[in-house]
Amino acid sequence: MTLIETDPPLAEPVTLAELKAHLRIETSDEDDLLESLIRVACAHLEAVTGVALMTRGFRLALDDWPRGDVIQLMRTPVQTIDAILVYDADGVAQDQDLTGLLLDATAKPARLVVRERPRPSQPINGIEIEFTAGFGAGTDVPPELKRAILVHAAHLYEFRGAVTADMQPASIPPGYERLIAPWQRRAL
């Protein structure tokens, strides 16, 4: 199972101006650094929660259908299922009918049931499910997630001299886990 981002988000859920206000920075000397810290904080949040913060496209590649009926899409919230492709032995994608799908778009991770499941003839990545996920615009992102990004980016900024940008995130600030706890995936 491989998840590929096909359409990156057009913006981040937290703006440079919001982070600068949070940090009480008035100059533009470190804008590039601050923007990179926002990206790192967003990527970390998405990795630990499975949430797609901003609207974007994904492709889930499967070798075969799962044994059970439910396919976990690895991101939430899912807005639409855009296509299901099943590859034949020649590597040609066959578009599947999207009627009759059952989607639990807000589950963590989102879940999909496909009633018609033709067998793929391609042994690796024989099935692709293309979908759109994310909350929408930055104003649609839940406030606790935006706050977590601000707190994390500020923490990264505070330790910018001790840890290089490519080694971030080096640590998690106090309170961060409580902010994201309702959004984290839990497994038994």
Side-chain angles (χ1 to χ4, degrees), residues 30-176:
E30 297 182 299
D31 284 1
D32 291 341
L33 170 65
L34 295 173
E35 287 175 338
S36 73
L37 296 178
I38 290 170
R39 286 190 298 275
V40 167
C42 289
H44 179 266
L45 178 65
E46 289 182 336
V48 298
T49 61
V51 169
L53 295 167
M54 303 295 283
T55 298
R56 62 180 170 274
F58 291 95
R59 178 180 302 124
L60 179 66
L62 306 169
D63 293 339
D64 204 351
W65 299 104
R67 290 185 184 194
D69 291 338
V70 177
I71 302 165
Q72 294 187 347
L73 296 178
M74 309 305 289
R75 285 291 178 259
T76 195
V78 172
Q79 296 175 4
T80 60
I81 301 297
D82 303 317
I84 298 177
L85 307 170
V86 177
Y87 287 86
D88 63 19
D90 297 325
V92 177
Q94 305 298 319
D95 229 345
Q96 301 303 302
D97 183 16
L98 298 180
T99 58
L101 298 179
L102 181 59
L103 174 65
D104 183 357
T106 58
K108 298 173 191 170
R111 303 176 302 165
L112 176 67
V113 174
V114 178
R115 304 218 190 277
E116 298 294 322
R117 300 170 104 178
R119 303 281 306 164
S121 298
Q122 183 174 299
I124 297 175
N125 298 331
I127 302 165
E128 292 180 348
I129 300 172
E130 296 179 1
F131 62 97
T132 302
F135 288 106
T139 55
D140 300 326
V141 174
E144 65 274 17
L145 296 180
K146 288 185 78 161
R147 174 63 52 199
I149 294 165
L150 286 170
V151 167
H152 195 189
H155 182 75
L156 298 174
Y157 180 74
E158 183 178 343
F159 291 100
R160 68 193 176 281
V163 179
T164 62
D166 61 328
M167 294 178 61
Q168 296 288 6
S171 66
I172 303 299
Y176 179 83

